[in-house]
Amino acid sequence: STLDASLAALRFARAAAAERDAGIIFLGDFWHQRGTVRVDVLNAVLGELREWEEDDVPSILIPGNHDQVTLGGAEHGLTMLGNAYRVKGRGGTGKGGKGDGTTHPGPLIFTVPTKFHSALFVPYVRRPSLLSSILSSPSSRSSSAHFVHADVKGAVMNDAVTSIGGIHPSSFPNPRRPIYSGHYHKPHAVTAPLSAPGIVVRYAGSPYQVGLNEAGQRKSLLVVNSSNGWACEEEIPIRVGRRHFRARGAEELLRLNVGAGAGARVPAVDVDEATP
């Protein structure tokens, strides 16, 4: 199920962060169903997040459009995660240190555009004109990086459909500074060399193949360093949940060799017999 895959992705992210003495950033759409969360799903997620307390892994979350309930985004489904677990106050020490004896909520949730450690975090904004205004603000122009949940022209939706809406890459003010976005599931980068030279909007993508329209996509976690301008310094391949494949005929299906391997589920295969 997608719940099993989601829990596996959370466990994988927690282990990777603990190993690197790092935190975790979620770029929106933590939930899929807008406005409603099943009790059993919520309990399972809260149970997993409580385990993060043991590894002292902090997190930052921004709401995506699927998380938001109201048009302005003030009401969203991340609020219930705000006290899911606690982390130790480090008091200048790293993991394994004594800290200062205090604790505080592990999840840090930014409901409105917020500058944190010189980076600007922007949750989903429905009106492109408003988002462009936010990105052109002095606070945005002086940011060393942007973490957003945005629809950017030229971004690739599932099934290779390209977005023609949203904001233009030139809306981002700082060439050659990192821009990371949630929203679309395919990991890829959007550029516009002529109209927005130096701007690269990097979509992190979903942590597992949610459906057949993500067949063949390789997923990964991005390791960014706040001490190095939030540059991406590592990609960690992640392979959890069901894998999906496409085949154009029976012969191609046989060549796929998609037998269940480590961490794999029985794949869904789209067989499209070519017409003679």
Side-chain angles (χ1 to χ4, degrees), residues 55-74:
D55 289 320
D56 207 31
V57 174
S59 57
I60 295 175
L61 302 91
I62 61 174
N65 55 309
H66 284 266
D67 301 312
Q68 295 174 343
V69 178
T70 53
L71 289 177

Side-chain angles (χ1 to χ4, degrees), residues 160-236:
V161 177
T162 301
S163 171
I164 58 174
I167 59 171
H168 192 273
S170 60
S171 299
F172 292 92
N174 301 324
R176 291 171 292 280
R177 295 185 186 179
I179 304 168
Y180 305 101
S181 184
H183 195 44
Y184 292 126
H185 290 199
K186 181 178 181 177
H188 68 289
V190 178
T191 61
L194 296 180
S195 54
I199 296 293
V200 179
V201 182
R202 184 167 187 175
Y203 280 89
S206 55
Y208 59 89
Q209 295 177 12
V210 177
L212 185 58
N213 51 9
E214 296 177 44
Q217 292 182 11
R218 296 183 178 182
K219 309 294 187 175
S220 63
L221 305 182
L222 306 181
V223 180
V224 300
N225 188 346
S226 62
S227 300
N228 186 26
W230 295 96
C232 179
E233 298 184 341
E234 183 184 1
E235 292 187 40
I236 308 172

Side-chain angles (χ1 to χ4, degrees), residues 246-262:
R246 286 189 182 275
R248 295 180 181 177
E251 291 185 4
E252 186 174 333
L253 173 60
L254 294 174
R255 287 198 301 270
L256 282 174
N257 188 24
V258 292

